[in-house]
């Protein structure tokens, strides 16, 4: 299966990846306003927050592999603060945040490199517990009293980080 690159992709993207062999398309023409450089996260007050990785000037029919990240704004800090405020009260975010933070402290030159690194991190967290993660000995599938999903139902286009922060090691079962 050939899939496009995606920044903090939605759960449906990872469901497709986990269903079989996949290849990330690098030779496609970059499409603006897509999950290639955008993601949606939950706003604790309701609704969604769109995060967008700024890219340099995109020429007509420029290949995705040639898209550079633009660092004129402090977007990494803004994205990290948004992720923390959206998920710090979810049951599992604190177990995973140290795996995500380095991606927001490093300056990647290429969008494809950032997306690949984040996708590899997310796949590792979905498939196993990487060394250093200490999960609670007991956990339950009933999170209705711990999070706001009773007030704001799950939305498929939200980043997988939403589901991972809420369900932890049970995320793969939900997919």
């Amino acid at each position: 299966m050939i899939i496009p690159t995606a920044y903090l992709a939605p759960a449906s993207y990872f469901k497709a990846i986990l269903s079989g062999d996949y290849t990330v398309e690098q030779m496609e023409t970059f499409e603006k306003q897509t999950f290639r450089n955008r993601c949606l996260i939950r706003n604790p007050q309701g609704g969604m927050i769109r995060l967008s990785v700024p890219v340099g000037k995109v020429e007509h029919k420029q290949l995705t592999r040639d898209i550079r990240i633009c660092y004129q704004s402090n977007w990494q800090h803004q994205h990290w603060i948004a992720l923390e405020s959206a998920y710090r009260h979810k049951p599992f975010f604190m177990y995973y945040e140290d795996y995500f933070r380095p991606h927001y402290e490093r300056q990647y030159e290429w969008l494809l490199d950032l997306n690949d690194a984040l996708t590899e991190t997310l796949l590792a967290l979905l498939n196993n517990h990487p060394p250093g993660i200490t999960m609670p000995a007991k956990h339950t599938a009933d999170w209705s009293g711990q999070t706001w999903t009773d007030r704001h139902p799950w939305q498929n286009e939200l980043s997988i980080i939403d589901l991972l922060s809420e369900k932890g090691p049970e995320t793969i079962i939900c997919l």
Side-chain angles (χ1 to χ4, degrees):
M1 167 179 13
I2 298 176
I3 57 173
T5 188
Y7 173 65
L8 292 178
S12 58
Y13 184 90
F14 284 93
K15 185 175 183 178
I17 286 176
L18 294 169
S19 68
D21 288 338
Y22 73 96
T23 302
V24 175
E25 179 61 68
Q26 299 179 33
M27 302 301 286
E28 68 177 349
T29 301
F30 180 76
E31 292 182 43
K32 295 180 180 180
Q33 299 184 7
T34 63
F35 284 119
R36 287 163 183 80
N37 69 319
R38 296 173 182 223
C39 73
L40 295 173
I41 63 172
R42 186 180 305 275
N43 183 340
Q45 286 76 40
M48 294 181 277
I49 299 170
R50 181 179 306 276
L51 300 178
S52 184
V53 177
V55 297
K57 183 170 175 30
V58 177
E59 302 295 331
H60 180 67
K61 295 192 177 187
Q62 187 170 356
L63 299 180
T64 299
R65 72 172 186 188
D66 298 329
I67 301 298
R68 292 181 190 269
I69 298 173
C70 181
Y71 289 96
Q72 289 179 346
S73 68
N74 198 4
W75 70 268
Q76 290 173 294
H77 177 71
Q78 293 165 356
H79 285 213
W80 184 249
I81 295 300
L83 289 168
E84 278 188 320
S85 67
Y87 300 118
R88 83 178 89 147
H89 298 297
K90 286 214 173 189
F92 291 95
F93 184 74
M94 68 180 180
Y95 297 105
Y96 298 129
E97 67 181 310
D98 289 339
Y99 290 93
F100 293 109
R101 187 179 292 114
H103 299 293
Y104 294 94
E105 294 171 345
R106 176 181 172 194
Q107 286 196 356
Y108 292 86
E109 181 176 2
W110 308 101
L111 177 64
L112 193 62
D113 292 341
L114 170 65
N115 290 353
D116 285 350
L118 283 167
T119 299
E120 287 175 20
T121 298
L122 285 158
L123 285 171
L125 294 171
L126 290 171
N127 286 313
N128 298 326
H129 304 300
I133 287 186
T134 309
M135 300 304 294
K138 295 181 182 179
H139 50 273
T140 176
D142 177 19
W143 304 112
S144 58
Q146 298 180 32
T147 65
W148 57 82
T149 54
D150 56 331
R151 292 174 277 148
H152 306 291
W154 169 255
Q155 301 199 14
N156 286 332
E157 64 272 8
L158 285 174
S159 171
I160 187 70
I161 212 166
D162 187 81
L163 190 59
L164 186 66
S165 295
E166 185 172 323
K167 298 291 185 179
E170 294 176 354
T171 301
I172 201 153
I173 297 167
C174 298
L175 296 175

